[in-house]
Amino acid sequence: MNFDPRYSGRSFTSVGTRPIRPDGVDKVTGRARYGADFNMAGQLVGRILRSPHAHAIIRKIDTSKAEKLAGVKAVITAKDLPDLTDGDAAMYDILDNSMARTKALYDGHAVAAVAAIDARTARQALKLIEVDYEVLPHVTDVDEAMKHSAPLINDAIFTEGLEEKPVKPSNVTKRTQYGHGDVHQGFGEADFVVERSFKTEQTHQGYIEPHACVASVNPDGTADLWVCTQGHFVYRQHCAQLLGLEASKLRVTSSEIGGGFGGKTHVWAEPVALALSRKAGRPVKLVMTRDEVFRASGPTSATSIDVKIGAKKDGTITAAEATLRYSCGPYAGMWAEIGAMTAFACYKLENVKTVGYEVLVNRPKTAAYRAPSAPMAAFAVESAVDELAKEIGIDPVDFRIKNAAQEGTRASYGPVYGPIGIGPTLEAVKNHPHMKAPLGTNQGRGMACGFWFNFGGQTCTDLNIGMDGSVSLAVGTVDVGGSRASLSLVAAEELGIDYAHVKAIVADTSSLGYNDMTDGSRGTFSSSMATISAARNAIKILRERAAQMWDISVDDVAWEKGHAVAKGEKHGNLGKLSLKEIAAESGKTGGPIAGHSELVADGAGVSFATHICDIEVDPETGSTRVLRYTVVQDAGKAVHPTYVEGQYQGGAAQGIGWALNEEYIYGKDGRLQNPGFLDYRIPVCSDLPMIDTQILEIPNPNHPYGVRGVGETSIVPPLAAIANAVSNAVGVRMSHIPMSPPRILAALEAERERFSR
Amino acid sequence: MAGVAVSTTINGDHVEYLCQPDETLLEVLRDRLGLTGAKEGCGTGDCGACSVIVDDRLVCSCLVLGAEAEGRQIETIEGMAHGDQLHPLQQKFLEHAALQCGICTPGFLIAAKDLLAKNPDPTEEEIRFGLAGNLCRCTGYDKIVRAVQDAANVMKGA
């Protein structure tokens, strides 16, 4: 492929407009089919039995009574999912998380499953399964788990990344370090140093659609899986490996997806559904309850973070340091490492050091959640940055502008930045009318910055031109929030035709080459790159066909605004041929016209955002109300601006929920106490104001249209922006997220006590 | 368990079915009648994704028994458009991009229809409180509120 992905400044016809999405009508009429909306002939209902203990050895499982219940067609335990991972530790963890093998490692860990003729029978069968547990001491708190006295979750884990190989096992799976310069020297040069410690609680992605799938394994070794997922090709790889199937014989179709936010990038119940179907010899539908979603899927890390930043009187930061401890659930992860990479990514620093510790706890396996690990690190760093600005006596926006990373800055995590948006977002915030609006009593304004890497990855796309000149675009990145609209716009732009003539679909795993998941804000970035490439390949064929129709050399045919144009004086009277005219003749000129593309979309441009939040605190109750919220973020190029705004608003709303309310609450028994939307309360409509957005476009040099991913960065600044607003409203620095009313009240009372003494 | 015979009206059509006494209306709609537009997000009445209208009253169909539909008028998302004519709320949800993943959309549309039937000219605050029983995790509600405001204006003019 001679595809050149570099940015070329150009004007746009379709890109940047706001048409209605192609899947829209299905979604407003109830016709769109999500994970649980699909059925097969002879289908059974699958249900999973889950451990009520946070940590327990599974001595014995007796399934005999359940098997004898009328209507039960299969009962499985870990024995029905033999270990085929062949030394692949990460895959073994996925297998063990799907069905506990020797120990239950958290409240909600799957231990057995049934398939029965209906839900009622399946529920009854679960009650008849007898599990003999030996309950072990457990630990759910990230700081507690790091202590030498903590119960060991996996005695085969010895901390990686230490200078000396440890002799004792530990709950810390890995230490990582990033940075450059000499922080000791940097702090020596500082006139002011702020050092603070922070904690954040565990949150769930909170997608409204529970995990759901229909699995059908045939006796001939072929299988089908219908599933709500962010990455059906990855699900295919993982399920095929765990079940011992050939990947090409497992066809995975991604349903419409009812939210994912990272939580549907990991297989959970799908291998179980396939194993049930294999054993029962019938299709099995498995849908998690909301209780199961909270107890056994998601969530993000709980964290404990120490930050130290020093600056000169003139506001120049001289050194920055952070130690980040992230919970991973009971399996190894790289969550603290990502936090350590992102923590200071917004700033131009000569001396910076971050250290991350991955910590095992008896909680569900940590999953990605929108810009995973970055919001917590930003909360700690951006809170400390505000405190430092206050000590120096400099405006917090000016302080950040002075120290903001620029093109050419070496990022704290290693690479040197190209053109980036942190400075422009800060300048836009400084000049935003929101920053000048008056505030009332007990009201405060805060702002904060956020960073996310963005990702590109493997991408494969097919563009087929029908004989009527309409275009089918088959992509392999799951559409989580409108990408079929943005990709149709890109195809229309490149071909020079109207958006209305393009129809994009998400193809299944048997219809298209491998695609990485829709994660890392890559959906529109990478698939638009592949779509541009596919369209250019199709245009090459269109030009050839036009040349054939005119009987001239293809070198004399150019493609302009949806038409083949004959170039050169000798062809002056040939006129133009539209895409539609060429397509109509395709049967006579060589057959169907299509463009294919497979590529690795490198060069996803990094993304920055700055948020402003006004909050009111009730000093009597500690309750808070977000009064006004503004998101400023660099999109590179907003392909469909309305959906870009939607990403900005949605991330901000999730961040607001995380900052103020959402948290996993564990009892002393290690059981999750709030596994439902009533007690794990995500923001509702009446909790929020309108969320204003400002899209900046600093082109990504590594994409033909300048596109950057936009999905994740918006969740990074809110925790800190709101904490800074609370601090400015009532004078208390909240160091523990969520800033729920009891925590704010306690902080206010402690502050009053301090003054009364 | 013996089934309960139910005779009811759904989206204007007469419908009869047998259901178990402990079966919810949501289960009946989705699993017996193939009306999968109502979604189960929680099963406990907290998310509103299964919203339907029973005799002019907005309910979570996961909290209503199938047997309770006897003799009622039930309205689901499948009955909201008239032929190929979308309801103004449906049209405005599309125009404003008031959905991202769309799983909450049927519930929001039903709840918004109920809201505008009772209050054709709601303030922003009334819309926000009127729709507070429906969870959306994607949009931050901004575009949903704007779509409902716009639809209310269109419907007032109609």
Side-chain angles (χ1 to χ4, degrees), chain A residues 455-461 477 487 515-517 521-532 599-601 703 707:
Chain A
F455 177 59
Q458 298 184 66
T459 314
C460 183
T461 294
T477 46
L487 298 174
N515 277 264
D516 284 328
M517 301 183 279
S521 299
R522 73 179 285 273
T524 292
F525 167 74
S526 62
S527 272
S528 68
M529 194 185 280
T531 298
I532 293 167
L599 50 79
V600 177
H703 184 285
V707 170

Side-chain angles (χ1 to χ4, degrees), chain A residues 20-21 23-25 27-34 36-37 39 119-120 123 204-210 256-259 261 285 290 369-370 480-482 642-643 645-647 649-651 653-654 662 676-678 680 682-686 688-692, chain B residues 1 20 22-23 27 30-31 36-44 46-47 49 77-78 80-81 83 86 90-91 93-106 108-109 124 127-129 131-132 134-146 149:
Chain A
I20 287 173
R21 61 198 282 168
D23 51 318
V25 171
K27 286 183 172 165
V28 298
T29 54
R31 286 178 217 169
R33 292 204 299 176
Y34 293 82
D37 298 338
N39 296 297
R120 187 173 295 97
R123 280 196 296 267
H204 195 277
Q205 294 82 349
Y207 31 83
I208 308 300
E209 181 199 32
E256 292 295 342
I257 177 173
F261 315 110
K285 184 177 198 168
R290 179 55 54 182
Y369 179 17
R370 201 170 200 157
V480 297
T642 313
Y643 285 103
E645 291 164 5
Q647 290 297 320
Q649 292 165 334
Q654 285 184 315
E662 297 176 33
F677 279 135
L678 188 63
Y680 182 97
I682 70 172
V684 304
C685 201
S686 53
L688 298 177
M690 293 295 188
I691 296 167
D692 295 330
Chain B
M1 266 187 288
Q20 296 296 321
D22 62 353
E23 206 171 319
E27 287 172 306
R30 290 180 55 83
D31 301 336
T36 54
K39 308 298 179 191
E40 179 166 329
C42 67
T44 50
D46 299 316
C47 79
I77 185 67
E78 287 88 352
M80 196 159 172
L86 293 178
Q90 291 172 311
Q91 186 60 37
F93 266 56
L94 292 179
E95 288 172 13
H96 286 265
L99 54 141
Q100 283 175 34
C101 83
I103 191 92
C104 70
T105 308
F108 263 100
L109 286 167
E124 181 190 332
I127 292 172
R128 289 188 176 278
F129 278 88
L131 299 178
N134 293 72
L135 299 180
C136 170
R137 192 60 158 172
C138 293
T139 64
Y141 304 104
D142 183 298
K143 293 184 189 303
I144 293 176
V145 173
R146 291 179 199 277
Q149 287 173 326

Side-chain angles (χ1 to χ4, degrees), chain A residues 73-152:
Chain A
K73 302 296 179 186
V75 183
I76 65 162
T77 64
K79 284 180 191 148
D80 297 280
L81 280 162
D83 179 11
L84 305 174
T85 58
D86 198 23
D88 182 335
M91 280 307 292
Y92 183 85
D93 286 350
I94 291 171
L95 175 69
D96 191 62
N97 192 39
S98 296
M99 188 68 81
R101 307 189 76 73
T102 56
K103 285 208 297 185
L105 296 169
Y106 55 92
D107 166 39
H109 198 166
V111 295
V114 302
I117 52 166
D118 56 32
R120 187 173 295 97
T121 310
R123 280 196 296 267
Q124 280 176 342
L126 288 190
K127 288 180 190 159
L128 296 174
I129 297 173
E130 292 167 5
V131 187
D132 182 11
Y133 293 104
E134 179 186 334
V135 178
L136 300 171
H138 65 270
V139 60
T140 53
D141 180 81
V142 63
D143 287 326
E144 290 295 319
M146 284 186 77
K147 291 180 180 166
H148 292 297
S149 56
L152 266 186

Side-chain angles (χ1 to χ4, degrees), chain A residues 271-358:
Chain A
V272 175
L274 286 161
L276 282 170
S277 172
R278 179 166 62 185
K279 194 163 184 181
R282 285 169 65 172
V284 173
K285 184 177 198 168
L286 208 162
V287 182
M288 279 197 200
T289 62
R290 179 55 54 182
D291 172 276
E292 289 179 288
V293 171
F294 275 113
R295 286 168 67 208
S297 79
T300 186
S301 301
T303 72
S304 162
I305 303 172
D306 304 327
V307 176
K308 184 178 175 186
I309 311 176
K312 289 184 184 168
K313 283 178 199 154
D314 70 354
T316 309
I317 295 178
T318 57
E321 191 173 8
T323 303
L324 308 98
R325 296 162 286 264
Y326 280 49
S327 71
C328 298
Y331 304 103
M334 52 176 296
W335 308 109
E337 182 170 4
I338 301 173
M341 292 170 81
T342 63
F344 293 109
C346 292
Y347 298 106
K348 182 175 62 188
L349 301 169
E350 282 184 18
N351 306 297
V352 55
K353 178 184 171 189
T354 57
V355 176
Y357 293 99
E358 316 292 345

Side-chain angles (χ1 to χ4, degrees), chain A residues 439-705:
Chain A
L439 288 164
T441 316
N442 296 322
Q443 295 179 354
R445 177 167 299 139
M447 51 76 60
C449 302
F451 158 86
W452 186 243
F453 308 93
N454 290 339
F455 177 59
Q458 298 184 66
T459 314
C460 183
T461 294
D462 264 344
L463 187 150
N464 290 293
I465 299 174
M467 281 191 281
D468 64 353
S470 65
V471 173
S472 311
L473 180 66
V475 302
T477 46
V478 170
D479 179 353
V480 297
S483 61
R484 274 165 290 189
S486 61
L487 298 174
S488 298
L489 281 170
V490 167
E493 184 72 50
E494 196 64 28
L495 292 170
I497 61 173
D498 196 88
Y499 169 83
H501 299 312
V502 183
K503 170 84 175 176
I505 62 146
V506 179
D508 66 61
T509 59
S510 295
S511 307
L512 201 61
Y514 177 85
N515 277 264
D516 284 328
M517 301 183 279
T518 299
D519 65 354
S521 299
R522 73 179 285 273
T524 292
F525 167 74
S526 62
S527 272
S528 68
M529 194 185 280
T531 298
I532 293 167
S533 169
R536 288 180 184 174
N537 290 332
I539 287 169
K540 189 166 167 281
I541 298 170
L542 287 161
R543 283 173 49 232
E544 285 167 4
R545 300 298 176 84
Q548 205 177 324
M549 287 163 75
W550 280 324
D551 197 18
I552 64 172
S553 165
V554 69
D555 296 334
D556 291 338
V557 181
W559 191 259
E560 289 171 5
K561 295 179 181 170
H563 292 77
V565 183
K567 289 287 176 190
E569 280 180 20
K570 58 183 174 180
H571 306 312
N573 57 355
L574 284 176
K576 314 189 274 189
L577 283 169
S578 70
L579 183 146
K580 195 174 174 174
E581 286 165 331
I582 300 168
E585 293 297 309
S586 60
K588 294 178 214 153
T589 57
I593 301 172
H596 183 76
S597 165
E598 58 271 314
L599 50 79
V600 177
D602 286 327
V606 294
S607 167
F608 293 90
T610 303
H611 290 195
I612 318 165
C613 173
D614 291 357
I615 204 159
E616 182 170 312
V617 181
D618 180 347
E620 300 295 315
T621 64
S623 77
T624 49
R625 178 155 191 84
V626 177
L627 304 169
R628 184 171 177 181
Y629 204 97
T630 302
V631 176
V632 182
Q633 186 178 319
D634 173 22
K637 173 68 195 172
V639 178
H640 191 307
T642 313
Y643 285 103
V644 173
E645 291 164 5
Q647 290 297 320
Y648 291 6
Q649 292 165 334
Q654 285 184 315
I656 290 168
W658 193 342
L660 294 176
N661 211 33
E662 297 176 33
E663 66 176 306
Y664 268 41
I665 299 168
Y666 277 90
K668 283 203 171 70
D669 57 3
R671 297 176 74 170
L672 182 60
Q673 298 192 327
N674 58 337
F677 279 135
L678 188 63
D679 298 314
Y680 182 97
R681 193 174 177 287
I682 70 172
V684 304
C685 201
S686 53
D687 292 335
L688 298 177
M690 293 295 188
I691 296 167
D692 295 330
T693 57
Q694 187 177 345
I695 299 172
L696 303 187
E697 294 184 330
I698 294 127
N700 173 11
N702 304 309
H703 184 285
Y705 295 176

